Amino acid sequence: MRISIASLLGLGCAAALLAPATTATATPAAAPASRASTVTLPLAPLPAGRAGGAAARGLRARGTAGYSLLGVSWDDPAAALDGTVEVRTHPAAGGGRSRAWTGWRALTADSEDRPDLDSADLRGPHARGATAPLWVGPSDGVEVRVTGGGALPDGLRVDLVDPGTGAAADTSPADTSPAGTSPADAPSADAPTGEALAPGAPAAQEAAPRLLPMAPHQAPRPGIVTRAGWGADESLRAPGFVYTGDVKVVFVHHTDTGNEYSCSDSPKVIRSIYQYHVRTNGWRDIGYNFLVDRCGTIYEGRAGGVSRAVLGAHTLGFNTDSSGVAALGSYDSAAPPQAQVDGIAKIAAWKLGLTGRDAGGSATLTSASDGSRYAEGTAHTFEAISGHRDAFNTDCPGDTLYDRLGDIRSWAVHLQGR
């Protein structure tokens, strides 16, 4: 595995626009941006009668600080939660929503999108096991119950995430600069260099940004909303970037965070997932390389440059030489909108085409971790655009989205001019 570390992204200067001296009234100052935050509440043993004799922990219905996304986590990232996790929430005032408590909703007991077992993401001191997060919209109350046939993991708690208003404006334009010339792809010459983060990797600094030549059958670069565009707090993630060899396979995921969001709220949902992956899971950054909302808007995920082969945390065993693209939502039964399917095809076609990879072809990857399908060291040939379930025993990316992978491949091949 070839891995190098590049320096942190340098920030450019923004020019100030001065108001004319003849202006009679001052423009009201914009509200200061607020960063995402997490409140954690421990789960206590539930009365024996409420769990039907099974081991149970939970939290009685109570008011909370405002939040919009939640999940349940526990101390040991290697421990599985063999049981059922359910929550109900109380909507906050405003937005035209009912103020009544919601019904009980199940959380995916074990988050299926994850880093390799020996990765820096899971070697950190704050790594935890966790359910998949659920987007519930602005809320101010919660009730939780966790039941299992055997012993439950230690340190169970509910994590409530407030997405804040972002570290930057949510309305930044999409990044449509040519491959290799985006500011996100060009490390600053005077920024500090990150340390080697993978076992055996040389602590080498990227000498200069790599300008990628046009490969045969390279698809058009789609518009990509940058991390600044969705309001990423860059102080939250770990410093430095980790790169692998060329991207050979794009794995398609769904975030499994629910579909109760408007496209204007997509930056909030992504900020919440970022906060959850770093503060709850203890990972070094958001796990996905890209995210696509139901309106087809493509968002930059893990930092390091959208045209670079950034090591993500999305497909256990096969994060090396791959890229993870996540559909924002849950697609076990709900059908993904056509715009979202098209957006996934666009980013997959462009990403694979950067190095001449055929979106309709295949590639062999070797598992870097023991997983539910392939043991460490096992080589397997994947289609260039595959679903997460092709590499791991999971429902991800959901039946309805998985059924559209053939359409995604066909459109991506067309975009590559093949």
Side-chain angles (χ1 to χ4, degrees):
M1 179 170 66
R2 306 189 305 276
I3 299 179
S4 62
I5 306 298
S7 57
L8 295 176
L9 172 63
L11 299 178
C13 297
L17 180 63
L18 300 179
T22 56
T23 302
T25 57
T27 302
S34 63
R35 299 178 187 276
S37 60
T38 302
V39 171
T40 64
L41 301 171
L43 304 187
L46 293 176
R50 299 183 64 187
R57 297 186 74 83
L59 183 72
R60 293 180 180 274
R62 55 165 290 177
T64 66
Y67 70 96
S68 293
L69 177 142
L70 82 166
V72 168
S73 66
W74 51 93
D75 289 343
D76 185 357
L81 195 164
D82 183 16
T84 301
V85 183
E86 296 176 298
V87 298
R88 67 185 190 120
T89 60
H90 187 264
R97 301 192 303 163
S98 168
R99 295 298 313 282
W101 283 84
T102 67
W104 288 100
R105 287 181 280 186
L107 301 183
T108 302
D110 190 12
S111 183
E112 300 162 334
D113 302 338
R114 62 177 76 178
D116 296 332
L117 298 180
D118 65 348
S119 69
D121 291 85
L122 291 185
R123 294 203 314 271
H126 305 297
R128 294 176 61 82
T131 67
L134 178 68
W135 176 262
V136 295
S139 302
D140 58 12
V142 69
E143 185 173 8
V144 184
R145 61 189 184 197
V146 181
T147 59
L152 294 171
D154 293 332
L156 282 167
R157 73 188 194 196
V158 62
D159 292 56
L160 309 175
V161 179
D162 174 7
T165 58
D170 293 342
T171 55
S172 296
D175 174 12
T176 57
S177 55
T181 62
S182 166
D185 295 326
S188 170
D190 58 357
T193 303
E195 296 179 353
L197 296 172
Q205 181 175 358
E206 193 77 11
R210 181 176 58 158
L211 298 180
L212 300 175
M214 288 292 290
H217 298 291
Q218 185 169 323
R221 176 172 175 151
I224 302 171
V225 177
T226 64
R227 289 171 64 91
W230 54 262
D233 176 1
E234 299 298 352
S235 69
L236 182 63
R237 64 175 177 84
F241 311 125
V242 184
Y243 300 111
T244 75
D246 292 341
V247 171
K248 301 175 182 177
V249 176
V250 169
F251 286 109
V252 177
H253 304 256
H254 67 166
T255 59
D256 206 14
T257 47
N259 301 319
E260 298 177 8
Y261 72 94
S262 64
C263 290
S264 61
D265 281 338
S266 296
K268 296 179 184 178
V269 180
I270 296 171
R271 286 198 302 274
S272 297
I273 296 172
Y274 176 39
Q275 177 81 6
Y276 192 82
H277 282 180
V278 177
R279 291 297 190 212
T280 297
N281 295 99
W283 299 350
R284 61 187 314 273
D285 196 349
I286 192 170
Y288 308 112
N289 297 104
F290 299 94
L291 302 97
V292 183
D293 72 12
R294 64 190 189 191
C295 290
T297 303
I298 301 167
Y299 295 84
E300 177 185 12
R302 181 161 287 209
V306 293
S307 69
R308 311 293 293 279
V310 179
L311 179 70
H314 49 82
T315 305
L316 176 64
F318 297 101
N319 289 301
T320 297
D321 299 347
S322 73
S323 188
V325 178
L328 208 60
S330 300
Y331 295 108
D332 293 312
S333 57
Q338 185 62 45
Q340 190 168 42
V341 170
D342 291 344
I344 295 169
K346 290 175 184 177
I347 190 61
W350 175 73
K351 191 67 179 177
L352 291 166
L354 286 173
T355 52
R357 293 278 171 181
D358 183 351
S362 61
T364 300
L365 301 178
T366 300
S367 177
S369 297
D370 286 332
S372 58
R373 283 190 182 274
Y374 304 104
E376 182 178 358
T378 302
H380 182 75
T381 299
F382 295 94
E383 295 190 75
I385 300 175
S386 290
H388 185 189
R389 65 176 63 176
D390 295 321
F392 191 80
N393 186 18
T394 173
D395 292 333
C396 184
D399 289 344
T400 58
L401 180 54
Y402 189 80
D403 289 345
R404 297 299 306 273
L405 290 186
D407 297 330
I408 290 171
R409 293 185 195 105
S410 296
W411 184 233
V413 167
H414 171 77
L415 290 171
Q416 288 185 340
R418 296 181 185 273

